[in-house]
Amino acid sequence: MARTAVAYSNLLPNSNLADPAGTAVSSGAGNGGQVANAFTELTMLRLSNASGGSGTATVLAGALPLAVASGQGSLTVTVANGATQWIGPVESGRFLQNDGSLIVETSVAMTMTAFKIPRNT
């Protein structure tokens, strides 16, 4: 399989947003979800696990030259079965890929939602 494109759900200033369903992402290296043209410092990720067992979600460290702090490594969080974890905002200097995307790999199938935080309210 390949990485699944995860589109942004824009948070709306002075308004509301119905809870989006999210995007199903598959597990394993080279799979998971990818947010294209990511605004890393303005991105919150929601990972929900209903796989039947505990799993991990890993925000992959970026690559030089964009991610000058990529040497700090990837960020991994545990997501228990039936639970949801929120990640972010994250630093572009650590996590932005050379193609401008943000990549999350999971050890079990999960649902991923990328929320973009508005700059101005």
Side-chain angles (χ1 to χ4, degrees):
M1 299 196 81
R3 291 192 175 100
T4 302
V6 177
Y8 273 114
S9 292
N10 292 317
L11 296 174
L12 307 169
N14 304 311
S15 189
N16 63 299
L17 174 69
D19 192 18
T23 302
V25 296
S26 57
S27 62
N31 295 321
Q34 183 170 15
V35 181
N37 302 314
F39 297 90
T40 50
E41 282 82 5
L42 301 175
T43 301
M44 289 292 298
L45 300 172
R46 180 182 68 188
L47 281 294
S48 300
N49 179 4
S51 69
S54 185
T56 59
T58 302
V59 182
L60 296 185
L64 290 172
L66 292 180
V68 295
S70 61
Q72 294 179 30
S74 299
L75 171 66
T76 301
V77 298
T78 300
V79 185
N81 181 52
T84 298
Q85 287 287 330
W86 289 80
I87 304 171
V90 296
E91 299 175 352
S92 57
R94 181 174 172 188
F95 299 104
L96 195 63
Q97 303 298 315
N98 282 340
D99 63 359
S101 70
L102 186 64
I103 297 173
V104 179
E105 291 184 346
T106 61
S107 65
V108 297
M110 293 190 195
T111 301
M112 178 176 161
T113 309
F115 292 93
K116 184 176 175 192
I117 302 167
R119 288 186 200 208
N120 300 322
T121 57

